[in-house]
Amino acid sequence: MNIVLMGMKHCGKSTIGQILADRWLCPFQDVDHLIEQTHREQTHEELSVRDIFARHGEQRFVDLDAQVVQMLLAQKQRTGAVGVVALGGRTALNPVHAHELHQLGLCVYLTVDVETLWQRVERGGIPPFRDASDAHAERFNLGRERGPHLDTLAGCAVAVLAVDPVRI
């Protein structure tokens, strides 16, 4: 079965996704890494997803994200499997992807309490599309905005309480 992990940035999608893929001996696909790879192949420019967004804007980022989802769907149609997929924090927010994500596999919404997320954000940096002047409030508002959408989209939700990607 294909599993599609979604949730807020720093909720543990990539860490948990890799652990599940290793345990189940199946491929692991990280949408953020695939966005970086696709951008690199198209432009010969080596940038992180954060830098792609900051340097080339939201529309370029959304376009790359859509290309990656289409690539994963094509892979599933060819082989029947994609394994475990960790979506980018914004991938599930694109209304076009809602139907497509369910075609990829079981959508699982990983949730983490706001304070744990905030600690992880502080380590990783504020996303370039958020207001850094009151970053804590921004993070709380972002979760409040996205949470209901992700909850509705998910086939199930899992609260991630004990997993801290820094310690794994």
Side-chain angles (χ1 to χ4, degrees):
M1 170 188 286
N2 299 304
I3 302 292
V4 180
L5 302 176
M6 59 187 180
M8 296 289 290
K9 181 175 183 59
H10 298 298
C11 75
K13 299 179 298 287
S14 296
T15 300
I16 292 169
Q18 186 65 63
I19 291 168
L20 292 174
D22 289 347
R23 182 160 296 166
W24 295 337
L25 303 174
C26 67
F28 172 64
Q29 310 268 2
D30 186 306
V31 167
D32 284 345
H33 293 155
L34 293 171
I35 287 172
E36 293 168 354
Q37 177 184 334
T38 302
H39 178 77
R40 183 174 52 252
E41 289 169 357
Q42 293 174 358
T43 66
H44 305 289
E45 184 178 43
E46 184 93 24
L47 295 175
S48 68
V49 290
R50 176 182 299 271
D51 291 336
I52 293 168
F53 192 98
R55 189 174 296 172
H56 297 285
E58 182 175 11
Q59 190 56 54
R60 171 70 175 154
F61 188 85
V62 169
D63 291 346
L64 287 165
D65 191 49
Q67 290 174 41
V68 167
V69 170
Q70 291 304 311
M71 180 203 67
L72 291 169
L73 283 168
Q75 177 185 341
K76 183 175 183 225
Q77 289 175 341
R78 278 191 320 273
T79 67
V82 291
V84 179
V85 176
L87 298 181
R90 297 174 59 124
T91 304
L93 300 178
N94 186 330
V96 173
H97 294 324
H99 176 67
E100 296 171 335
L101 296 177
H102 285 287
Q103 290 177 9
L104 281 177
L106 174 66
C107 293
V108 178
Y109 172 28
L110 301 181
T111 63
V112 178
D113 68 274
V114 174
E115 287 308 315
T116 300
L117 274 177
W118 176 244
Q119 291 169 2
R120 294 175 185 174
V121 166
E122 284 184 313
R123 287 192 299 251
I126 306 300
F129 57 89
R130 300 312 286 187
D131 178 10
S133 65
D134 189 2
H136 196 346
E138 277 284 308
R139 192 66 181 170
F140 178 76
N141 290 335
L142 188 60
R144 199 171 59 216
E145 291 168 13
R146 292 183 181 181
H149 175 73
L150 294 172
D151 196 38
T152 299
L153 186 59
C156 65
V158 177
V160 182
L161 302 174
V163 176
D164 186 346
V166 171
R167 289 187 239 175
I168 292 180

